Each structure stands twice: as structure tokens, then as C-alpha cells.
Amino acid sequence: MVSWNRSTVTSGDVELAVFELDTPGAAEKRPTVVLVHGWPDTHHLWDQVAPLLGDDLRVISYDTRGYGESTSPEQVQAYTLDLLAQDLFAVLDAVSPDAPVHIVAHDWGSVQTWEAVTTEGAHDRIGSFTSVSGPNLDYLGEWARTNLSRPTPGNLGRALSQVASSAYTAFFQLPVLPQAFFSTFGSEKNWTEFLHAIEGTPRENVSFSPTLREDMVSGLRFYSANIREKLARPNPRPTAVPVLEVVNERDIALRPAIYELTHTHANKLWRKNTRTGHWLPYTNPRYLAETAREFITMIESGASSAPNTIDRARRLGPPQKLGGKLAVITGAGSGIGRETAYALAQLGCEVVLADINTAGAEETATECKASGVLTSVYPLDVADTRAVNEFAETVRKNHGVPDIVINNAGIAVAGPALAASDEQVDRLLDINLRGVISGSRAFGRQMVERGAGGHIVNLASAAAFTPSRDLGLYAASKAGVLMFCESLRAELAEHKIGVTAICPGIVHTNITSTTEIAGTEDEAGQRRRLDDFYAKRGFTPDKVARDIVKAILSNKAVVPVTPEAKFGYRSYRFFPWASRIAARQKLTK
């Protein structure tokens, strides 16, 4: 059970219950972080987060006015954001009068902190602000007006999506009815079941205040006092306080699009998108604590970047859907791996590049760095399972748990299966199949443990569903990848981790020039003719990279890329006999 030491801070006519985490044996001189809760919580929202921060931070929380052990004024106008911001500054002055304080805030706690950080002189008192599931209402009003004043299908779609997500706020502002509803149904048991149903919040080990029912009713004043005024007459103001927006992509109440204009007002803005829901302090306290500590450490040290992808400092443009994520790519020294690295770097991902050919990977890294992202290169032979596992641990230690993993490394063996050597077969399967399985398992375990979702992309091939007498071994390795992806996708779905099998057809990469061809005396000549044929086809790896990015954004299961791959995928499903007849044709002559 977490232990808090209670004190009281006065703000005007309100007495605020302030709590400091009891951390026996911790160093005295530590940066101070204040945790601010939202509706319908109290400081108990942070019971699981606070101990994870206590080793190297002095942790403070408080019950905001209207909640828990703090004063609850009756008048709605006692809950306007300017008064809530004054409360926050009163707490900061009391707990750390001589040094700036870091703030981590959720829901309405974040909304009122936005009011504070946009107050003149706030950067002298607030060292950083980690915002979780709570927008600046002035920025939100400006965003809504912008989208509605330019009624394109995209703008209207984003606006209507947010209106639907926020419909509950209209109910909360009605007279009598919401108060009666929460007075009747606002029990701890009902609230626990509701949170569990909407986003899987645990039924156990979740702390609520004994005053939960009363807090639900009292907190409704926050909505009545602020939402209509702010949305009708927004007054967006800038802030010089460093801000990290933790954008929960599965937030039931707030769509990611509403943060599109934050960068125009916050000149020290970082953003971290994650496939999590609104109640992150309950569902994944460790992830939130690690994210907040990482950001605070970065600000305290004066560094311009930090591990685990909080590195998109002082963004000068609107947010990108993959911006700030960490991507690991194997086989990144050329071809599809290289182009995918370029595409992800241009979208703001930190990229970790691995290849047995480190010189090629370094060339890829040079171009990625030109996009302004952190880029690292590691040597890796994916056929070595131990090396893959060690590589995954190195990435975790040096960069954090990746959000995206592209298992791309592969080779090809053509010619009759009966003519290939055992060594060729072993090497092919070790790289194409076992390498994919090893990478998926090593990084998949990390993603599951972190609990914040992710995406794994494995390179299969159109050969997985296009039988060929000359590509039997290669086809077998890629068919294994395809079925492994389908099965792993089902296994990881409950963890919000997507898995995609990319199935290109004839793509001109250096794999064709290095393909081993069994059962021929003119291997070099046949390889040259095969490479020439692929070159004339003209389908380049950058086009595959674009489809990989689309697959990540849309969480597609199987993606046939080239026209012949799309045809082959459907042909094998609906006319397998035709595929078997076509398989008798020789590719190598």
C-alpha cells in the first residue's frame, strides 16, 4: 500500500489536501514532480505511478478543489480554469518555493495545467509538463473552429469524430439529471466495471477515494464552468514551458486529431503517440512512469533528446502519425529495408538499423540522419538466434522498447528443390523463416511486457501463395512467414500489437543479383538474366516501403504489394488449380 504524508495548502478560500510520497532512504535533493488528477479521481489515481517515480524524484500530489479531502465550493463559478491554475501555483509555491517543479497531469488535471503553463511567467515555476488525456481547451476551441470553417470531408470527419467522442460532456452539463445519475450509480463497483469494460482497466489493484460517489457529482462543475465558455470564445495563448503530449491513440474521449494545432502555440513541444487508452495511469502505470521520468530527466540534463523516442524537440509542423516512435529494421543495408528506413525517418521515427552488411547500413543511416532523426546501426546475422536475442536486449537498453519492428532480412535460392544442397536449404530457412520468428519473438515479448501496443511487420513474398517449380524452397520459407504472421497476429491482438505480412511480387532489389540457383552449370548467367528481368519490370523497393507504412497505419494483416502479387493472392484463394498449372512453368532457363 502506498504511503502518503498529508499537509494542507490554502488557495484563496479553498483548502487543498496535499500529499507527499513517503520514500524512506531516498536522497534529499531530488527534482520535484507534482501529479495532478482529473475527473472523478483524487490523488489516489497516482497510487501505482508514484512509487515508480519515487527513487529519483520527490513526488507530490493533491486533491484538486471539489475532490477528496479538499474544499468543495458549491458555486459553479468557483471551478473556472483560472482559479484551478491559481490552486496549482499555490501548491507549487508551498512544496518547492525555490526551484521549478515538473508536472504530470491526467484528464482535467491536464486541462487545468494547460491553463497554468500558458499563464505569463509560468516557465519560471514549471520545469516541464507531461500532458496525458487532457487538451488545452483554448487550443481545442481553435481546432474545432478551424475544421468547421473549412468544411472539407477530412475536416468535417475529424470534427464529427470528436463530437461523437465528447457527447458525454453535454450530458454532464445538464441540470439535475447527471447529478442524480451519479448519486444513484456512482459506486466503486460500477465504476470499476465500467473502466474494465471500455479499455480493460484491471479490476484489482486500482485505488479509488472513499469519496468517489461525491467526487463524481462535485466534479461535474468543472464541465459546466469551463467547456461552453472556452469552446465558444477560445483565447489560445503560447507557452515556453517544455511540454510532452502523451497521445493515447485509443482514447475513448479524445481523438488524436485534436492536438494538431498545439505546435503553433507550444514552442518546446514533444509528442509521444501510443496505442493506449484514456486511463493510462490505471492500465499501464509503469509505462507512464517511465515516459514521464525519461522526459523529466531530459529536461533536467539539458539534453536535446532522450532514449525511447522522446526526441522530436521543438516541432515546427503538425504532428505525424508515426512521429517520435522507435522503429527497428533488419536487412536495412539495401533494398526494401533501406527504403523503409527512409520512409519511417521522414515520418519522424527514430530508426535502429541492423544488417550483416554494416557498411550498407551506415549508408542508409546517413540519409536517415538527414531527416533529423536519431539513427543507430548494429551488425546482425538474423540466422543466429542468440545474436537476435542479444540485439533485442541491446536495443531495449540503449533505445527502449520499439514501437515498430520490420523483420526484413532475407535471401533467395532458386532452381529445383532436389538439386539444392543441404547447406543452401539450412541457410535459407535460418534467415528467411527462423530469423523472422526470432525477431518477432524477441521484440514481441518486450512489447507485451511494456503493455503499450506496437506493430511487427514481417517480409513474406508473393511466392508464399504462388507455387513455382523453380522457387519451391524459397516459397516454403515465405509461406511459413505468412502463416506465422497470421497466427502471431491472433496471439498478440489482445495486447494491441499488430502483425502484418508484406508480400511483394517482382521487385528489383539486390536479392536478385545474389540469388543462388541450384542445379545449373551457368549460375552466373542465369542470375544475370534474372536480375535483368526484374530490372525491366521496374517495380522499385520504395513502392514497397510506402505500402509498409500504410499497413502499419491501418494495421493490415496481409498486404500483397505488386499487381502480380495481388492477382496471385486472389487466384490461389479462388482458383488454386490454375496456380498449380502455372507453377509448372520454368523461371530459370
Side-chain angles (χ1 to χ4, degrees):
M1 185 70 178
V2 64
S3 177
W4 297 96
N5 297 318
R6 188 191 187 284
S7 61
T8 300
V9 170
T10 300
S11 175
D13 297 331
V14 171
E15 290 190 345
L16 301 169
V18 178
F19 302 86
E20 180 170 352
L21 181 70
D22 187 10
T23 51
E28 281 301 312
K29 291 200 68 176
R30 294 167 291 162
T32 299
V33 59
V34 171
L35 311 178
V36 190
H37 68 84
W39 182 91
D41 304 298
T42 63
H43 72 283
H44 287 297
L45 171 75
W46 306 106
D47 280 357
Q48 296 180 73
V49 176
L52 300 173
L53 297 171
D55 287 343
D56 44 11
L57 294 168
R58 178 182 174 224
V59 182
I60 308 290
S61 188
Y62 70 102
D63 292 346
T64 62
R65 64 170 65 195
Y67 292 94
E69 300 178 37
S70 293
T71 305
S72 297
E74 290 295 328
Q75 302 83 3
V76 169
Q77 288 308 307
Y79 294 87
T80 56
L81 286 177
D82 59 327
L83 295 176
L84 296 172
Q86 289 179 26
D87 291 350
L88 177 56
F89 283 119
V91 172
L92 301 188
D93 290 341
V95 302
S96 183
D98 301 321
V101 172
H102 302 279
I103 299 176
V104 180
H106 175 260
D107 191 76
W108 271 99
S110 179
V111 173
Q112 61 193 278
T113 303
W114 271 114
E115 183 74 13
V117 299
T118 54
T119 300
E120 186 176 353
H123 64 279
D124 294 327
R125 299 295 300 114
I126 301 175
S128 75
F129 169 33
T130 299
S131 169
V132 185
S133 295
N136 181 305
L137 290 188
D138 291 304
Y139 300 170
L140 177 59
E142 179 188 33
W143 174 84
R145 284 169 169 259
T146 299
N147 280 271
L148 293 174
S149 65
R150 303 170 186 168
T152 65
N155 287 348
L156 285 176
R158 286 191 292 270
L160 291 174
S161 175
Q162 182 54 51
V163 168
S165 296
S166 300
Y168 70 96
T169 63
F171 170 70
F172 281 11
Q173 295 175 72
L174 295 175
V176 181
L177 187 58
Q179 291 83 352
F181 177 83
F182 287 113
S183 295
T184 304
F185 299 106
S187 67
E188 180 175 324
K189 179 180 178 181
N190 288 341
W191 187 239
T192 299
E193 290 301 320
F194 173 75
L195 294 182
H196 179 76
I198 62 171
E199 58 182 60
T201 299
R203 291 189 174 97
E204 299 81 23
N205 301 321
V206 175
S207 301
F208 300 119
S209 170
T211 57
L212 176 64
R213 192 189 303 265
E214 294 82 359
D215 295 337
M216 285 181 168
V217 175
S218 177
L220 295 173
R221 301 183 181 102
F222 280 57
Y223 294 86
S224 299
N226 296 291
I227 288 184
R228 279 174 290 184
E229 175 66 23
K230 286 291 187 179
L231 295 186
R233 286 178 287 275
N235 178 31
R237 295 165 293 163
T239 179
V241 174
V243 177
L244 169 64
E245 283 186 325
V246 179
V247 179
N248 296 307
E249 296 173 343
R250 296 177 51 250
D251 195 316
I252 190 173
L254 302 166
R255 301 291 88 202
I258 68 173
Y259 303 102
E260 287 178 348
L261 296 180
T262 310
H263 71 279
T264 63
H265 303 292
N267 62 12
K268 296 179 181 178
L269 176 67
W270 287 253
R271 179 175 283 106
K272 189 167 187 178
N273 287 47
T274 182
R275 298 176 86 175
T276 46
H278 185 83
W279 299 99
L280 190 58
Y282 287 147
T283 57
N284 201 328
R286 182 170 299 278
Y287 176 73
L288 177 54
E290 290 175 352
T291 297
R293 178 192 286 107
E294 182 183 321
F295 184 58
I296 293 169
T297 300
M298 182 182 78
I299 299 302
E300 283 284 321
S301 66
S304 61
S305 60
N308 204 24
T309 73
I310 302 179
D311 66 295
R312 303 299 295 161
R314 305 184 188 187
R315 302 185 61 88
L316 300 178
Q320 297 170 323
K321 290 186 177 179
L322 297 180
K325 292 187 181 293
L326 173 64
V328 174
I329 306 159
T330 68
S334 62
I336 294 171
R338 169 174 286 180
E339 294 296 335
T340 302
Y342 292 165
L344 292 176
Q346 289 168 6
L347 291 174
C349 290
E350 176 186 352
V351 290
V352 173
L353 312 177
D355 203 301
I356 198 169
N357 173 19
T358 53
E362 290 288 358
E363 292 178 4
T364 304
T366 300
E367 185 70 22
C368 291
K369 290 175 182 176
S371 296
V373 301
L374 294 175
T375 305
S376 306
V377 174
Y378 294 89
L380 179 65
D381 180 359
V382 299
D384 184 343
T385 300
R386 177 179 294 180
V388 172
N389 291 333
E390 291 175 352
F391 168 65
E393 285 305 310
T394 299
V395 171
R396 185 211 293 261
K397 178 181 178 181
N398 295 345
H399 309 275
V401 176
D403 304 288
I404 301 166
V405 173
I406 315 288
N407 290 303
N408 163 75
I411 62 172
V413 173
L418 304 184
S421 68
D422 290 342
E423 290 77 13
Q424 287 176 317
V425 174
D426 290 343
R427 182 68 175 164
L428 177 74
L429 295 178
D430 283 347
I431 294 175
N432 287 13
L433 181 54
R434 185 56 189 263
V436 166
I437 292 174
S438 298
S440 299
R441 278 160 45 88
F443 287 110
R445 291 190 189 104
Q446 293 182 8
M447 291 178 178
V448 168
E449 181 183 350
R450 180 181 63 173
H455 205 99
I456 298 172
V457 175
N458 294 326
L459 267 291
S461 168
F465 42 75
T466 310
S468 168
R469 61 179 291 165
D470 286 325
L471 290 174
L473 295 171
Y474 179 74
S477 70
K478 294 301 185 178
V481 170
L482 176 58
M483 188 51 64
F484 173 70
C485 287
E486 294 273 39
S487 302
L488 187 65
R489 182 180 177 88
E491 178 182 343
L492 298 182
E494 64 186 271
H495 302 288
K496 306 301 183 293
I497 300 171
V499 180
T500 297
I502 299 292
C503 302
I506 302 172
V507 179
H508 189 228
T509 69
N510 70 341
I511 195 172
T512 57
S513 62
T514 59
T515 296
E516 296 183 8
I517 301 175
T520 179
E521 296 180 357
D522 184 22
E523 184 176 9
Q526 290 202 28
R527 186 185 297 119
R528 185 174 58 254
R529 288 189 289 273
L530 185 65
D531 190 52
D532 289 344
F533 170 73
Y534 274 61
K536 291 176 182 177
R537 169 67 175 81
F539 201 99
T540 50
D542 59 300
K543 298 177 182 178
V544 183
R546 285 200 294 269
D547 276 3
I548 289 175
V549 171
K550 291 177 183 177
I552 294 170
L553 293 173
S554 58
N555 190 21
K556 289 186 177 180
V558 180
V559 181
V561 177
T562 58
E564 64 274 9
K566 295 174 183 178
F567 175 80
Y569 186 57
R570 288 159 179 78
S571 176
Y572 191 70
R573 289 177 64 189
F574 299 111
F575 308 103
W577 55 270
S579 298
R580 296 182 189 120
I581 293 173
R584 299 172 186 174
Q585 304 302 311
K586 286 189 176 183
L587 297 180
T588 57
K589 300 183 184 290

